[in-house]
């Protein structure tokens, strides 16, 4: 199933969550890099080496991401409200995210073949409207459709508002709202706060 919808999402229209495919690449760009800045991450930093980006996209990071979007398991999902792209969530089997797999800071807690959420972005003008919650629901259901036994995320637990430059990691409260539980604390930090290891069993 391609479309996931959260009936509890607030706002003027329901939020639908769909996997990133080749034909949705411009929607992805609208959320993460509308100006197509050449040196933008394009959510590839954890996935592809510089050599692989050259091989897959002739050095063009957008085209390298397009090549990933053509694979059987999408590199993430896009949230839409009223047909307009409003959010992005990077989710894949952890085994398909090489930098995370090799990380000495965010280590596996056990042998469960988890899927991992490593980035979440909501467009300006659409925040505080339930997009993150709906997007997480959709991302989890996408993983469930592929038989994932569990989904993990690595957020922080800020006392106040999160530094927007590191907001892509998410917050403990955000993940708890959709059923994730803390299963460990990593050695990684964001905004000088420890990144938790949170998991939702499926």
């Amino acid at each position: 199933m391609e479309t996931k919808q959260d009936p509890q999402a607030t706002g003027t229209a329901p939020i639908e969550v769909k996997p990133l495919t080749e034909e949705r690449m411009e929607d992805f760009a609208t959320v993460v890099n509308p100006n197509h800045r050449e040196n933008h991450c394009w959510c590839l930093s954890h996935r592809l080496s510089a050599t692989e980006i050259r091989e897959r996209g002739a050095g063009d990071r957008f085209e390298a991401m397009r090549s990933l979007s053509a694979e059987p398991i999408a590199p993430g999902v896009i949230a839409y409200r009223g047909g307009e792209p409003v959010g992005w969530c990077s989710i894949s089997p952890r085994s398909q995210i090489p930098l995370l797999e090799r990380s000495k800071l965010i280590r596996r807690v056990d042998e469960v073949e988890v899927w991992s959420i490593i980035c979440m972005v909501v467009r300006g003008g659409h925040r505080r409207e339930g997009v993150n919650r709906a997007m997480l629901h959709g991302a989890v259901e996408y993983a469930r459709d592929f038989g994932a036994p569990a989904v993990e995320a690595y957020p922080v637990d800020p006392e106040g508002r999160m530094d927007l430059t590191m907001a892509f990691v998410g917050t403990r409260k955000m993940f708890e709202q959709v059923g994730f539980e803390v299963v460990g604390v990593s050695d990684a930090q964001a905004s000088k706060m420890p990144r938790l290891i949170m998991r939702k069993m499926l």
Side-chain angles (χ1 to χ4, degrees), residues 87-158:
W88 158 252
C89 176
S90 175
I91 180 171
S92 294
R94 179 178 169 126
S95 60
Q96 294 183 15
I97 309 173
L99 193 62
L100 181 59
E101 271 290 74
R102 297 193 301 267
S103 177
K104 296 181 179 179
L105 299 178
I106 305 178
R107 296 181 293 275
R108 284 183 175 270
V109 297
D110 53 33
E111 297 304 312
V112 175
E113 291 300 321
V114 299
W115 284 43
S116 294
I117 293 172
I118 57 173
C119 179
M120 297 183 66
V121 179
V122 175
R123 286 176 62 195
H126 300 277
R127 296 174 185 140
R128 297 182 175 274
E129 296 179 355
V131 175
N132 270 324
R133 185 178 64 246
M135 191 159 57
L136 283 174
H137 276 297
V140 167
E141 289 306 306
Y142 183 67
R144 191 194 305 272
D145 285 349
F146 279 90
V151 177
E152 278 188 355
Y154 314 101
V156 294
D157 189 13

Side-chain angles (χ1 to χ4, degrees), residues 169-197:
V169 304
T171 66
R172 175 176 181 164
K173 180 180 179 180
M174 176 195 306
F175 286 96
E176 285 181 335
Q177 288 176 341
V178 292
F180 283 68
E181 298 179 346
V182 176
V183 295
V185 180
S186 78
D187 291 325
Q189 292 191 345
S191 296
K192 299 182 180 180
M193 291 177 285
R195 294 183 65 175
L196 308 174
I197 301 174

